[in-house]
Amino acid sequence: MNTNVAAQGTGSSLARSRRRMPPELNIFLVLIGIALVYEVLGWLFVGQSFLMNSQRLTIMILQVSVIGIIAVGVTQVIITGGIDLSSGSVVGMTAMISASVAQASTWPRALYPSLTDLPAIVPIGLGVGIGLLAGFINGQLIARTKIPPFIATLGMMVSARGVSKWYTKGQPVSGLTEQFNFIGTGIWPVIVFLVVALIFHIALRYTRYGKFTYAIGANVQAARVSGINVEAHLVKVYAIAGMLAGLAGVVTAARAQTAQAGMGVMYELDAIAATVIGGTSLTGGVGRVTGTVIGTVILGVMTSGFTFLRVDAYYQEIVKGIIIVAAVVVDVYRQKGRKKT
């Protein structure tokens, strides 16, 4: 009898210790495992180290920083039980529009000759504002008309891509000022990503905004009964996601020091992949920005590793799709396990 009691006590203490462990720990261990696999494969097939090349790792982090900015917004949308398919197109649209008012007077083919050499805050603010407007429209369509988020954001995806192509009739925008380009140079895209992640990590964990976001994703009817204005909050969440996509568009244009209508293609899927890999549940109510940050790095490590091993790009897309499906399957079984306990 005493043995059974002791066993039960040990089991309950182990369960409590598991609950105290941060959910991101498992994701971080996956990241370490993937990196070590690439390290071994690198020595076997390439004769080089994957992890000991600081230049490769720096390029990898810079490449995923834009996806990470988008993914922070996508995380909040998915926590509410929604989806945002428009973020990649919003990146292209805001890159074009912000770059058009960031041109230097020395550029002979400025789109708006009277609006050259403007302070960087103007094109940055315009790009972020356009993204905010796109997200606001998404939120209004979803909250007021009750159409599924998939359809609303799909419409915005097509429309925003059309705007980016129409804006300059498909012509790239170049000759940007050094002040504007500065946000895309060096380590600045990573700094922007980490600052954005920190802000919304705090907002989701310690503010009423975060509590409402999780409550809507967990049970929208219960959230409404408890007094939460669900419609208004959804508009806010989608507007923030659009704003971050706009910021990502500005950083993308500044990094490339030019803007093209094709920028941001498939970024929305990469952002969703990073979010799901990071542990955010597509059923809503579960997810953390810290997990999304790790998921973004995992995505970057995988892409960089494939390039390092000289794997063709189309194989990379196939594997990426498999990983997204696998992450969703794992999430489904995890949710079933939670319901049983």
Side-chain angles (χ1 to χ4, degrees):
M1 184 71 175
N2 291 337
T3 304
N4 292 335
V5 172
Q8 290 175 0
T10 304
S12 61
S13 63
L14 286 172
R16 284 195 299 271
S17 66
R18 287 195 189 100
R19 285 196 294 269
R20 283 196 297 268
M21 290 174 62
E24 293 84 359
L25 180 59
N26 289 336
I27 307 168
F28 183 73
L29 292 176
V30 170
L31 170 61
I32 298 298
I34 292 173
L36 291 176
V37 167
Y38 279 128
E39 178 70 11
V40 173
L41 292 176
W43 284 113
L44 288 176
F45 297 105
V46 186
Q48 297 178 15
S49 171
F50 175 72
L51 295 173
M52 295 299 116
N53 189 317
S54 59
Q55 184 179 5
R56 180 185 300 110
L57 296 179
T58 301
I59 293 173
M60 178 198 73
I61 295 172
L62 287 171
Q63 287 176 337
V64 300
S65 58
V66 170
I67 300 298
I69 294 169
I70 301 169
V72 171
V74 170
T75 297
Q76 298 169 70
V77 168
I78 293 179
I79 288 174
T80 66
I83 198 74
D84 187 357
L85 300 178
S86 66
S87 52
S89 295
V90 171
V91 166
M93 178 175 66
T94 55
M96 293 292 286
I97 295 175
S98 62
S100 69
V101 295
Q103 291 181 293
S105 58
T106 54
W107 186 251
R109 297 187 301 276
L111 194 62
Y112 302 112
S114 60
L115 295 177
T116 55
D117 293 331
L118 293 175
I121 191 65
V122 175
I124 292 173
L126 180 62
V128 171
I130 294 294
L132 180 68
L133 177 61
F136 178 80
I137 294 172
N138 281 337
Q140 287 288 345
L141 286 172
I142 293 163
R144 306 304 174 188
T145 68
K146 308 301 181 184
I147 63 176
F150 177 89
I151 300 300
T153 59
L154 179 64
M156 179 58 71
M157 178 184 77
V158 177
S159 298
R161 185 62 65 188
V163 169
S164 65
K165 293 176 181 178
W166 160 83
Y167 188 67
T168 61
K169 303 299 185 291
Q171 297 300 313
V173 180
S174 303
L176 312 185
T177 63
E178 292 184 5
Q179 190 181 27
F180 176 81
N181 290 336
F182 179 77
I183 193 175
T185 58
I187 202 71
W188 277 105
V190 179
I191 293 174
V192 173
F193 168 39
L194 294 179
V195 169
V196 165
L198 178 61
I199 290 171
F200 286 100
H201 169 71
I202 294 171
L204 284 175
R205 289 207 65 184
Y206 303 109
T207 69
R208 188 170 63 173
Y209 168 81
K211 293 177 181 178
F212 287 3
T213 302
Y214 283 108
I216 291 171
N219 191 321
V220 66
Q221 293 303 325
R224 187 173 278 112
V225 169
S226 66
I228 297 174
N229 188 334
V230 173
E231 287 71 25
H233 192 78
L234 285 176
V235 172
K236 191 182 300 183
V237 170
Y238 279 91
I240 288 173
M243 178 188 70
L244 293 179
L247 177 60
V250 171
V251 174
T252 300
R255 275 197 69 204
Q257 300 186 8
T258 186
Q260 299 179 7
M263 282 180 163
V265 173
M266 299 294 287
Y267 279 18
E268 64 277 355
L269 297 185
D270 285 342
I272 293 170
T275 302
V276 173
I277 291 170
T280 300
S281 174
L282 287 172
T283 58
V286 176
R288 291 188 182 185
V289 172
T290 47
T292 297
V293 171
I294 300 173
T296 302
V297 176
I298 288 175
L299 203 63
V301 168
M302 289 176 52
T303 303
S304 179
F306 283 136
T307 304
F308 171 64
L309 295 174
R310 300 180 179 88
V311 176
D312 290 330
Y314 42 83
Y315 288 132
Q316 297 182 27
E317 298 299 327
I318 293 171
V319 173
K320 191 183 297 182
I322 293 172
I323 289 171
I324 295 173
V325 174
V328 174
V329 170
V330 169
D331 176 63
V332 169
Y333 281 101
R334 187 167 55 217
Q335 296 302 323
K336 288 181 179 178
R338 284 174 180 164
K339 289 179 181 178
K340 288 180 181 180
T341 56

